[in-house]
Amino acid sequence: MVAARSRLWLCFLLFLVALLEARGVPVGITYVRNAIARGAVCLDGSLPAYHFDKGFSTGINNWLVHIEGGGWCNNVTTCLARKNTRLGSSKQMAKEIAFSGILGNRQRYNPDLYNWNRIKVRYCDGASFTGDIEAVNLATNLHFRGARVWLAVMEDLLSKGMENAENAILSGCSAGGLTTIVHCDGFRALLPKGARVKCLSDAGYFINAKDVSGALHIESFFNQVVATHGSAKHLPRPCTSIYRPGLCFFPQYIARQMQTPLFILNAAYDSWQIKNILAPGVAGCKLDINNCSPSQLKVMQDFRLEFMYALARLGSSSSRGLFVDSCYAHCQSETQETWLWGDSPKLAKTSIAKAVGDWFFDRKPFQKIDCPYPCNPTCHNRIFDSKEHPNL
């Protein structure tokens, strides 16, 4: 009895050690001190910021620049609402954050990227780093300067060694994933010609779809974001030369003209898109897909088909990576449990971390799209019934 209890405690302690290791060490904040001189500031006029964990050993000339997510503000009212939060002011940001998942520094939990220079760029402009309006309304003190913030941060990182990059990834989650797509080719242009440079968009493939009422809610919202922030001149020109600027906030119109290799990591039933694009303001099962009725699931299955169509419009490309699972999730690269863990989501028996690593280093192409919900037992959002998918 005593021996059994001892073994149980030992297993528990080993689990705690592994969990603490996976969470990583806190990384301090860095402010871009010279940004104010060029007007590169957050919504409230404060300094841009990022967190930087330096590379070591064989990763010293490799760079991962990961962009924080956090939605957008589409008018003065919504921008004021976030101005005095961490999404609008570096004064409100945590001085330290823990790096895990794609940002982790343990080889066991992040085998391809653990010893790279790993940066998390804080998001404080509300328009995926595209805004650029010189005038500041004295009544609101709102600064729409995201594009300047982007350039100031990139130049600061170049001066700290990124100009010598041999391998580099620009990645981001949610609004940061959209930032990745918008700025991918520009990021590549900043780095040495001989460097291997690719981009990873996590939960950033927002589609232009009607909501359940038939309204183009998200298209109208993105039009307002672009107009409020003066974003048009900083959206990719290959897109704006064909489409109006508001449409060039949607990856399905931007990515087809991209030159830099892109990996799209997304849930086909992206929980943010279900809640905010498909059913904004609508009550129901969108907080927990397991509670959906058959008719509600039919609406979600139709959304998945729209998502698949928006992906298909990109055309085929051997340089593109795809990991589109059937999980009800949003952002899967930043948390250890979904990036690489014992029960992390898998496609073709491959974790997200391995799929991205194989694709980046050209070890093996990865373009996998999951079967429809509820078929994947590795998703964290459902109870798996083996009868539904006997081959897994």
Side-chain angles (χ1 to χ4, degrees):
M1 185 69 175
V2 173
R5 284 182 178 176
S6 298
R7 285 195 297 270
L8 185 62
W9 272 107
L10 179 60
C11 289
F12 179 68
L13 288 172
L14 289 173
F15 171 77
L16 283 180
V17 169
L19 190 61
L20 289 172
E21 274 191 344
R23 286 183 175 178
V25 296
V27 178
I29 199 167
T30 298
Y31 300 100
V32 184
R33 298 289 178 185
N34 64 356
I36 286 181
R38 64 178 71 183
V41 293
C42 298
L43 280 173
D44 72 333
S46 59
L47 292 168
Y50 58 84
H51 300 259
F52 183 6
D53 197 10
K54 291 185 178 180
F56 55 94
S57 186
T58 57
I60 198 165
N61 287 321
N62 299 334
W63 293 74
L64 169 68
V65 180
H66 186 79
I67 313 298
E68 182 180 29
W72 310 269
C73 57
N74 63 324
N75 54 43
V76 169
T77 301
T78 56
C79 289
L80 280 174
R82 65 193 279 150
K83 186 180 84 166
N84 294 317
T85 73
R86 64 175 178 81
L87 294 172
S89 172
S90 61
K91 297 175 183 177
Q92 305 300 323
M93 295 173 184
K95 299 299 184 288
E96 290 184 336
I97 60 173
F99 277 13
S100 65
I102 193 172
L103 291 166
N105 68 347
R106 303 279 185 173
Q107 186 173 11
R108 177 181 177 184
Y109 302 111
N110 193 21
D112 285 308
L113 310 174
Y114 74 99
N115 63 353
W116 286 31
N117 295 284
R118 287 155 291 106
I119 296 96
K120 184 168 186 175
V121 179
R122 301 306 297 266
Y123 178 41
C124 66
D125 74 288
S128 288
F129 297 90
T130 61
D132 192 3
I133 294 178
E134 181 67 32
V136 177
N137 187 312
L138 295 179
T140 63
N141 197 38
L142 284 171
H143 298 71
F144 300 116
R145 306 281 181 78
R148 300 189 199 186
V149 169
W150 167 263
L151 188 58
V153 171
M154 291 303 110
E155 289 182 352
D156 204 51
L157 294 176
L158 288 167
S159 73
K160 292 181 177 178
M162 195 169 72
E163 64 181 359
N164 301 315
E166 296 173 2
N167 294 290
I169 296 175
L170 176 64
S171 66
C173 153
S174 192
L178 176 57
T179 301
T180 297
I181 293 174
V182 168
H183 287 289
C184 182
D185 284 343
F187 178 74
R188 204 278 162 257
L190 294 171
L191 300 177
K193 289 185 178 180
R196 179 193 279 119
V197 182
K198 300 184 181 183
C199 299
L200 163 64
S201 173
D202 177 11
Y205 202 86
F206 299 95
I207 66 169
N208 188 12
K210 294 179 180 179
D211 65 22
V212 289
S213 74
L216 288 168
H217 169 77
I218 191 64
E219 183 178 317
S220 174
F221 182 85
F222 277 173
N223 282 335
Q224 292 165 11
V225 172
V226 169
T228 297
H229 291 262
S231 300
K233 57 184 175 290
H234 291 290
L235 293 170
R237 290 189 183 279
C239 184
T240 55
S241 66
I242 302 171
Y243 304 104
R244 53 186 172 78
L247 290 179
C248 293
F249 226 66
F250 288 101
Q252 67 199 76
Y253 304 109
I254 307 171
R256 69 179 75 174
Q257 282 92 29
M258 285 175 59
Q259 301 300 309
T260 309
L262 172 67
F263 194 106
I264 297 172
L265 165 61
N266 228 102
Y269 308 89
D270 184 283
S271 57
W272 191 95
Q273 295 198 52
I274 296 291
K275 296 169 189 174
N276 296 280
I277 294 180
L278 178 62
V282 178
C285 69
K286 62 184 183 178
L287 297 179
D288 186 350
I289 197 171
N290 294 301
N291 295 331
C292 290
S293 68
S295 62
Q296 289 170 325
L297 279 176
K298 172 65 166 56
V299 173
M300 291 193 184
Q301 299 293 13
D302 290 344
F303 181 84
R304 174 186 179 273
L305 292 177
E306 285 199 70
F307 188 89
M308 294 298 106
Y309 175 72
L311 275 179
R313 290 191 64 182
L314 297 182
S316 61
S317 172
S318 59
S319 69
R320 187 177 302 129
L322 282 177
F323 191 108
V324 179
D325 57 33
S326 61
C327 305
Y328 189 62
H330 185 68
C331 292
Q332 300 178 86
S333 65
E334 293 182 343
T335 58
Q336 198 61 56
E337 291 78 8
T338 48
W339 176 248
L340 180 60
W341 197 249
D343 62 348
S344 59
K346 293 179 177 64
L347 291 180
K349 300 181 180 180
T350 304
S351 67
I352 295 169
K354 188 173 192 311
V356 171
D358 285 348
W359 164 81
F360 181 82
F361 287 108
D362 300 314
R363 296 190 295 247
K364 184 194 299 184
F366 197 92
Q367 297 184 344
K368 302 294 182 183
I369 296 176
D370 210 352
C371 44
Y373 175 90
C375 74
N376 192 333
T378 66
C379 289
H380 290 186
N381 55 271
R382 63 178 301 274
I383 299 172
F384 177 63
D385 182 352
S386 61
K387 295 178 183 178
E388 295 170 351
H389 210 297
N391 296 323
L392 284 178

